[in-house]
Amino acid sequence: MKHSLASLLMLAITLPALAADPDPTQSTYRWVDEKGQTQYSDRPPPQSIKKFEERRLQPNRGDAQLPFITRKAASDFPVTLYTGRECGKPCDEGRALLTRRGIPFSETKLETTDDVAAFKARFNKDPVAPTLTVGKEMETGYASAAWERLLNDAGYPAAKR
């Protein structure tokens, strides 16, 4: 009984430390030691080293399952789908095309006058739902061939069959 009570007490003490969310960024360090050897570490160099590089690394955001070509295209040419309240079938078809091709995208709903004003200010034109932006390119209204061309030109892979 003493062992199980002690174990339970230890677990209660360590659980908060295990549950704490550590800083999601991590540093790596690079320096040249006294022998002229380049060293890399996740710990700072010895205090005798005055010149070193520190790099902050961000953890993977969960897109590691995507193929490299998709991650590269998404980094260079992010995709945003602008939809409206009364958009219906065209927005559904546009969303389905992006999903079928496995394209990561964000969706912005143009529902309020503030949403519409922000769209006008950003693009200097009245919104049409749906609108697709791929990097700096834009296609208003749903036309699958035009959307496919935009995505292909940005380097996104074709739909999986």
Side-chain angles (χ1 to χ4, degrees):
M1 183 71 169
K2 284 184 179 181
H3 285 319
S4 61
L5 184 58
S7 298
L8 189 57
L9 183 59
M10 286 296 287
L11 182 62
I13 292 170
T14 58
L15 246 153
L18 293 174
D21 187 18
D23 180 9
T25 60
Q26 194 175 42
S27 291
T28 59
Y29 301 89
R30 178 182 178 269
W31 71 92
V32 178
D33 66 14
E34 301 83 23
K35 297 177 184 173
Q37 299 288 328
T38 301
Q39 301 292 327
Y40 298 90
S41 178
D42 61 349
R43 296 195 173 123
Q47 289 186 350
S48 61
I49 304 296
K50 301 299 180 204
K51 184 177 177 186
F52 62 91
E53 291 178 28
E54 177 182 6
R55 293 196 177 158
R56 307 279 294 163
L57 303 175
Q58 296 294 324
N60 190 337
R61 297 289 182 220
D63 62 356
Q65 298 81 10
L66 294 174
F68 173 77
I69 191 168
T70 303
R71 291 192 318 262
K72 176 75 171 125
S75 172
D76 295 342
F77 305 100
V79 174
T80 303
L81 173 63
Y82 293 89
T83 60
R85 214 179 276 174
E86 305 296 323
C87 186
K89 187 175 179 183
C91 286
D92 294 340
E93 289 175 350
R95 202 176 293 110
L97 181 148
L98 296 171
T99 302
R100 185 173 53 253
R101 283 190 62 161
I103 299 193
F105 68 97
S106 61
E107 184 171 342
T108 300
K109 296 183 180 192
L110 305 172
E111 295 181 333
T112 67
T113 54
D114 289 342
D115 298 336
V116 172
F119 184 95
K120 285 181 181 181
R122 180 169 183 199
F123 298 111
N124 201 23
K125 59 171 59 177
D126 288 329
V128 174
T131 292
L132 181 71
T133 61
V134 180
K136 293 182 180 182
E137 300 296 319
M138 173 189 285
E139 189 64 42
T140 57
Y142 178 70
S144 64
W147 284 30
E148 295 275 5
R149 179 191 51 75
L150 263 182
L151 296 165
N152 292 341
D153 289 350
Y156 284 97
K160 301 172 194 165
R161 301 206 185 255

